Amino acid sequence: MVIFPATEEPAEFNNNYIFYWNHVGLQFNRLTHSIGGPQGGPQAGPPISARALGILHLAIHDAYFALRPDQSTSFRTYLTADAPNPAQRLPAITGETDTRQAVAGAAIRVLSRLYTQRSLTVAVNVTHQLTQFLNQSIIDFAPLDVLSSSYQFGVAVADAILALLIRPGEPSADQTGYRPKEGLYGFDDDPTHPVRLLPVDPNDPTGSKVPTRVYAAPFYGMTASRFAVQSEHVIADPPVGFRLNEQQEYDEQQEYDDALRDVRRMGGAPELNSTTRLPHQTVGAYFWAYDGVNLIGTPPRQYNQILRVIAWERKTDPAPDAEANNAHFARLLALANVAMTDAGIICWREKYCFEFWRPLSGVREDPRRSYADPFWLSLGAPETNRNEISFKPPFPAYPSGHATFGAAAFQIARLFYKQGSSVDIASNAADNISFSFVSDELNGKSRDLREPYDANRRIEDQIGTVRTRVERRFGSLWEAIWENAISRIWLGVHWRFDAFAAEDVLVPRSSGDVEPYKVLPDGTTAYKDPGEISYDAMSKRHDRDGVFPIGGVPLGIGIANEIFVTGMRPTPPEQQPDGRHRCGTGGTMSGLMQSGQSSSDFEEV
């Protein structure tokens, strides 16, 4: 069994049973990405690991609030007793009152179904380790009465949510039949990791291997059931590759060219003379990485870790298991993880709609000699706690998953605490929700190994270069949304437009300058103060009328705004993907992020 290094979170957090099962879900996220091999175990990868947490917390939410309704808010349970659609009906309550047992029943059922079922593509040993971990988590939660009606009610809630939200036979992460887009601007293989050697038999990892080009979840966004969005969400075209008219092509080419210069200086490998990124920016790049790596997992895990810190600091009762805290944690974590689930589904639909190349390919393969560098290397997504080189994530660039997930999670938290009157914010401006956090990427334990990882030894006892422990403080969640997004440019794995419009974030030069945005004397890009940023820029899209947000940050904010305002209710059947439209069904958006609207139009939520 993998030996996890301890996080710096206080142990008392898990004295609350909502936090306990959230913690178990986050540990599963770490474990499946640590023992599942190059492609991960069950529920691996950013969007699918986000969905696992979304299902877990919807089940916890409904098991809790069905037995203890919250009269102080307009929010209801996700499943309801009076739902016209039988698939969305809450199981009958027949006198159950024990929320602790109900939550446990819901959580255990979800985790068992998602992580411990046998599969031909998952090694028996991996399933065994995941099952062992769940069994130990159940033992640690004692006392537990699995025969009680409250526990069984939680199981029934979990079964209903699983049946509603996971479609039988869906492709999930399967890439069978996918071929990447060819030609200029097309997403293609990582030149530093063109293939992965995967075992023919997952139960014989040392046996015959087959070279495999890995493309993560190419059909997921166009097939997976959405959870709580009520309308379509789309973004504008990337700046090049989708010509609308000659003037727009000229203007957008200028943006792309400047973005290429930007990522070369801010996202390059440290040994390159062209790299000007400063040490604190490299810290930011690593701080937010969580690229599905050993002992760490994916970005949704980190955003949950941060929300746990914020929620604990803002709890209203000093007793960890007070009902006020249970309700607070259950609602916040459900909202955040549902928002990240839909953010992942829609982001992945957009990624494989545009199939836009990553900077590592774009800089190397640019056909213009004055822009191309065939030997350019990015800092790259770090292969933490392994003896491997950095990589570019195996899915298209536009929009950024980090930017979309982080904006969705943190925007939901901002709206949640605004509703509770503990903060005074507009939905498209800075807040005062500050926090301090030590990332698992920079905790003084994680390291860049110089020999193969040994699962039987603590990471602290393995040979490699230790990542310095860095505790960082953010003055607001708005600042965290910005840095989480910009960190991907600092790693060199994303273009800036993957996250947001340059005009919203960068400092413009004086009119008449050749380059549109300011570069500081030390060679770094000049950014606006994060507290003064708003994400308002819009642009066109080739396959429908209107103008739309640019990049992952406004996409995530728009998804969060809609889910919060509409009360986290099930997505209507007509808004579910049909599996036949790679770029969505077309037409202008009908919900909160309509043509010509930005997230600032909804600040009175």
Side-chain angles (χ1 to χ4, degrees):
M1 177 68 77
V2 171
I3 304 170
F4 285 131
T7 66
E8 298 199 12
E9 181 182 272
E12 64 175 338
F13 279 24
N14 291 327
N15 292 337
N16 175 277
Y17 62 83
I18 304 294
F19 263 23
Y20 178 83
W21 290 110
N22 172 260
H23 165 76
V24 173
L26 300 184
Q27 292 292 84
F28 267 108
N29 183 300
R30 295 171 94 181
L31 186 57
T32 199
H33 289 93
S34 300
I35 64 176
Q39 289 185 282
Q43 314 305 319
I48 297 170
S49 64
R51 183 175 69 168
L53 290 167
I55 292 172
L56 172 65
H57 279 286
L58 270 181
I60 288 172
H61 176 274
D62 277 13
Y64 180 84
F65 284 109
L67 302 188
R68 190 176 288 273
D70 185 354
Q71 306 299 333
S72 67
T73 177
S74 60
F75 279 97
R76 302 177 66 188
T77 50
Y78 180 76
L79 304 175
T80 54
D82 57 355
N85 182 349
Q88 297 175 358
R89 287 180 192 159
L90 189 71
I93 300 172
T94 57
E96 291 81 11
T97 59
D98 191 333
T99 52
R100 185 179 185 275
Q101 296 293 325
V103 164
I108 292 167
R109 184 65 153 202
V110 167
L111 295 170
S112 175
R113 285 280 303 277
L114 295 181
Y115 287 100
T116 69
Q117 305 304 299
R118 291 285 182 91
S119 168
L120 294 177
T121 61
V122 178
V124 171
N125 181 54
V126 169
T127 304
H128 176 65
Q129 290 188 63
L130 292 165
T131 303
Q132 274 189 311
F133 177 72
L134 179 58
N135 291 340
Q136 186 60 54
S137 300
I138 293 170
I139 292 170
D140 293 343
F141 189 71
L144 194 62
D145 183 359
V146 299
L147 298 180
S148 70
S149 61
S150 294
Y151 182 94
Q152 291 302 318
F153 173 74
V155 171
V157 168
D159 284 342
I161 287 175
L162 285 161
L164 176 64
L165 297 176
I166 296 184
R167 296 178 174 183
E170 66 173 28
S172 191
D174 185 23
Q175 67 181 56
T176 302
Y178 175 75
R179 296 293 181 271
K181 182 179 179 180
E182 295 182 356
L184 188 64
Y185 309 125
F187 164 66
D188 57 7
D189 299 323
D190 180 348
T192 63
H193 290 84
V195 296
R196 298 287 182 120
L197 296 178
L198 303 182
V200 174
D201 179 358
N203 294 303
D204 183 14
T206 62
S208 298
K209 293 180 172 61
V210 58
T212 303
R213 288 167 170 80
V214 177
Y215 311 114
F219 307 114
Y220 176 74
M222 60 183 284
T223 58
S225 292
R226 298 172 183 183
F227 281 25
V229 290
Q230 302 299 305
S231 67
E232 185 61 281
H233 291 256
V234 298
I235 54 175
D237 290 334
V240 289
F242 298 87
R243 177 177 178 173
L244 294 174
N245 58 64
E246 290 186 4
Q247 182 58 48
Q248 183 180 6
E249 182 182 29
Y250 174 80
D251 293 341
E252 299 293 345
Q253 185 69 55
Q254 306 312 301
E255 162 56 18
Y256 176 79
D257 292 349
D258 196 61
L260 189 148
R261 289 189 290 266
D262 182 29
V263 77
R264 284 188 67 178
R265 63 175 171 262
M266 299 302 295
E271 64 268 23
L272 300 179
N273 292 335
S274 58
T275 302
T276 60
R277 183 185 57 250
L278 298 176
H280 78 270
Q281 293 166 333
T282 303
V283 167
Y286 278 87
F287 179 91
W288 295 102
Y290 281 62
D291 280 285
V293 294
N294 189 33
L295 308 181
I296 291 179
T298 57
R301 175 172 173 263
Q302 183 181 32
Y303 308 140
N304 272 270
Q305 289 179 293
I306 291 170
L307 291 179
R308 286 165 67 91
V309 171
I310 291 168
W312 193 263
E313 291 178 351
R314 292 176 177 271
K315 65 183 186 297
T316 56
D317 192 306
D321 58 352
E323 290 302 339
N325 296 332
N326 293 335
H328 169 186
F329 301 158
R331 183 84 74 203
L332 173 64
L333 292 172
L335 282 165
N337 285 291
V338 166
M340 283 193 283
T341 298
D342 279 346
I345 292 169
I346 293 169
C347 178
W348 251 250
R349 193 275 313 279
E350 296 290 76
K351 279 180 177 290
Y352 282 97
C353 169
F354 295 112
E355 293 184 286
F356 201 83
W357 62 9
R358 296 263 178 177
L360 190 58
S361 299
V363 174
R364 287 176 167 230
E365 298 175 24
D366 196 294
R368 301 165 298 176
R369 291 181 61 185
S370 59
Y371 287 88
D373 180 351
F375 301 100
W376 187 75
L377 290 171
S378 61
L379 178 60
E383 190 70 87
T384 311
N385 297 321
R386 293 206 185 275
N387 63 330
E388 304 285 346
I389 64 172
S390 64
F391 60 97
K392 75 171 187 179
F395 35 85
Y398 184 77
S400 162
H402 269 71
T404 312
F405 285 125
F410 295 153
Q411 178 72 353
I412 277 281
R414 284 156 40 84
L415 298 176
F416 178 83
Y417 287 114
K418 177 183 179 179
Q419 184 188 64
S421 300
S422 62
V423 295
D424 181 19
I425 60 169
S427 67
N428 197 26
D431 54 83
N432 63 354
I433 305 174
S434 61
F435 65 93
S436 297
F437 185 71
V438 176
S439 166
D440 286 2
E441 295 277 7
L442 298 170
N443 60 4
K445 301 173 185 175
S446 289
R447 58 200 63 201
D448 301 298
L449 293 180
R450 294 196 292 274
E451 59 182 26
Y453 171 72
D454 183 350
N456 297 311
R457 287 163 44 199
R458 300 187 318 150
I459 192 65
E460 295 93 330
D461 297 333
Q462 301 196 39
I463 295 173
T465 302
V466 177
R467 301 258 185 87
T468 303
R469 179 188 180 277
V470 181
E471 181 176 14
R472 305 188 68 221
R473 182 155 186 87
F474 293 83
S476 67
L477 283 172
W478 199 241
E479 178 188 357
I481 288 172
W482 172 81
E483 195 193 79
N484 169 66
I486 202 72
S487 73
R488 307 303 283 176
I489 291 85
W490 295 340
L491 279 179
V493 298
H494 273 289
W495 312 95
R496 67 193 185 203
F497 49 80
D498 296 340
F500 36 57
E503 64 190 87
D504 286 340
V505 172
L506 305 188
V507 178
R509 287 184 185 268
S510 302
S511 59
D513 286 334
V514 175
E515 296 184 9
Y517 298 103
K518 185 176 181 180
V519 177
L520 298 174
D522 60 11
T524 61
T525 301
Y527 305 110
K528 296 178 182 177
D529 183 331
E532 298 176 359
I533 289 172
S534 61
Y535 302 97
D536 297 320
M538 310 284 271
S539 189
K540 294 182 179 181
R541 183 175 170 120
H542 70 284
D543 60 356
R544 63 197 77 197
D545 296 331
V547 291
F548 305 96
I550 299 167
V553 169
L555 177 63
I557 288 173
I559 290 167
N561 286 347
E562 183 174 83
I563 290 173
F564 191 86
V565 170
T566 57
M568 196 173 65
R569 50 192 174 85
T571 297
E574 64 271 16
Q575 292 297 335
Q576 293 291 3
D578 60 12
R580 297 192 300 271
H581 295 86
R582 188 166 57 94
C583 296
T585 54
T588 56
M589 299 166 66
S590 59
L592 292 185
M593 296 295 287
Q594 295 178 12
S595 300
Q597 291 180 311
S598 73
S599 55
S600 60
D601 293 313
F602 299 93
E603 63 182 44
E604 296 306 321
V605 293

